[in-house]
Amino acid sequence: MSRAGAATRARVVESAMERMRRQGVGATSMLDAIADAGASRGSLYHYFPGGRAQLIEEATALAVQEYTDAFSLIVELDAEQALPLVVEYWRIKVAESDFEAGCAVAAAALGGSDIAAARAKAGEAFTSWIGMIEQVLRNSGVPADRIPSVATLALSAIEGAVVIGLAHRSVEPMEQIAVELLELVRALRA
């Protein structure tokens, strides 16, 4: 594939990821992603011979990589530093989208069994992110027996606060859980 072709293909995948963030998997079509990327309709099956499922899988993989790269920056930190950064990342992303776009990985998880590979990638990502939060909790002196469940709670709270923030068009749910998660960690360390 030529450099220009690779760039066009990458734009289409990025467009699909952004549509997943804004509309969910069900409303993300190949034609819309191609149009957003300024590509020709004729290139659709040239770039994505596996059709829509391939495009959604690749858009999910792109989102997983983007968010995992962001998460990987926190693993050496403690909870006092890390958890507010994760929440701030999502607060900024949601606010910049004017409360129109959430997590593409969550969209893939909810996308249904018609694209099982995307759902599986989402599950793997959530497991990885929970593992990163577990490391942060270890760095923070949280008792070992509590780390797995508190890490799952933290990720669930963050993802849930993003959804609630979108619904309410407010960053307040994200700000609230940042405070509450830190209070929980402090209580567990005491």
Side-chain angles (χ1 to χ4, degrees), residues 99-139:
F99 301 95
E100 296 293 326
C103 177
V105 178
L110 297 169
S113 60
D114 60 324
I115 305 180
R119 180 180 273 181
K121 280 185 193 326
E124 292 165 7
F126 290 142
T127 299
S128 171
W129 300 344
I130 288 168
M132 291 179 189
I133 296 171
E134 286 175 349
Q135 182 58 49
V136 166
L137 296 174
R138 272 190 287 285
N139 298 346

Side-chain angles (χ1 to χ4, degrees), residues 32-138:
D32 289 338
I34 289 281
D36 292 348
S40 69
R41 290 177 88 177
S43 63
L44 248 156
Y45 291 100
H46 172 70
Y47 293 134
F48 305 100
R52 181 175 176 275
Q54 180 184 359
L55 176 60
I56 297 299
E57 288 170 36
E58 290 188 29
T60 301
L62 177 63
V64 166
Q65 187 61 56
E66 178 182 316
Y67 305 153
T68 300
D69 288 350
F71 257 105
S72 69
L73 300 174
I74 68 164
V75 295
E76 300 300 322
L77 304 176
D78 68 12
E80 297 279 340
Q81 300 162 313
L83 293 175
L85 287 174
V86 173
V87 173
E88 180 67 5
Y89 173 86
W90 281 108
R91 190 195 68 71
I92 289 169
K93 285 197 97 45
V94 167
E96 284 179 346
S97 76
D98 194 28
F99 301 95
E100 296 293 326
C103 177
V105 178
L110 297 169
S113 60
D114 60 324
I115 305 180
R119 180 180 273 181
K121 280 185 193 326
E124 292 165 7
F126 290 142
T127 299
S128 171
W129 300 344
I130 288 168
M132 291 179 189
I133 296 171
E134 286 175 349
Q135 182 58 49
V136 166
L137 296 174
R138 272 190 287 285

